[in-house]
Amino acid sequence: MTLVMRPLDRGNPQARLPLVVAADSRWPAGAVPIWISEATSMVYGWQQGQQVEIPLPELQGRQIHIAGIWRDYARQGGSIVMALDDAQGLGLALRLTDAAFWPEAEMSIGELTQGLKTVLTDYPWGA
């Protein structure tokens, strides 16, 4: 399973994730919300609204709440998305290993290349 950490608006996760189950914005105080892929739901039987354990030292003893299910065609073994600021707050080791982008319709290859260089250079943990 892959843990994906990305900038995410907890109140509007569908802006960044193709949700297949409507977002649940109600989770227990102090719980860390995550969004799981359809594959994760099928393989592990996890469902929205459940509290789960994730076997990482930084998450031991933390309430982890499934706030939604999303469609992830890239990782067939299952994936979990956590908001980047939650991951940073929990002390998870951050390393950029994957990137996705949505170019503007009229963007040239040169503009796209420069934009990617700028974003990756300015990212919190570098390129």
Side-chain angles (χ1 to χ4, degrees), residues 3-82:
L3 175 59
V4 178
M5 298 170 275
R6 66 168 51 162
L8 193 65
D9 177 356
R10 286 176 214 76
N12 186 25
Q14 59 272 18
R16 300 284 303 241
L17 297 173
L19 297 179
V20 295
V21 174
D24 174 9
S25 60
R26 300 173 314 270
W27 48 80
V32 178
I34 60 170
W35 291 264
I36 63 171
S37 68
E38 291 173 301
T40 301
S41 178
M42 287 186 265
V43 170
Y44 295 95
W46 293 359
Q47 297 299 318
Q48 180 173 321
Q50 255 186 300
Q51 306 297 315
V52 296
E53 289 185 30
I54 299 174
L56 291 173
E58 298 88 350
L59 301 179
Q60 296 305 304
R62 297 278 184 175
Q63 275 191 301
I64 308 295
H65 178 83
I66 299 174
I69 300 175
W70 70 297
R71 180 164 290 128
D72 180 8
Y73 292 126
R75 294 170 268 295
Q76 297 301 309
S79 61
I80 296 170
V81 171
M82 180 182 291

Side-chain angles (χ1 to χ4, degrees), residues 58-120:
E58 298 88 350
L59 301 179
Q60 296 305 304
R62 297 278 184 175
Q63 275 191 301
I64 308 295
H65 178 83
I66 299 174
I69 300 175
W70 70 297
R71 180 164 290 128
D72 180 8
Y73 292 126
R75 294 170 268 295
Q76 297 301 309
S79 61
I80 296 170
V81 171
M82 180 182 291
L84 181 60
D85 55 344
D86 284 337
Q88 290 172 318
L90 293 167
L92 288 168
L94 304 176
R95 196 174 54 158
L96 183 60
T97 59
D98 194 19
F101 54 92
W102 295 267
E104 300 290 327
E106 304 297 321
M107 189 175 265
S108 72
I109 296 296
E111 291 170 321
L112 177 61
T113 302
Q114 184 55 48
L116 286 171
K117 286 179 182 177
T118 300
V119 168
L120 293 175

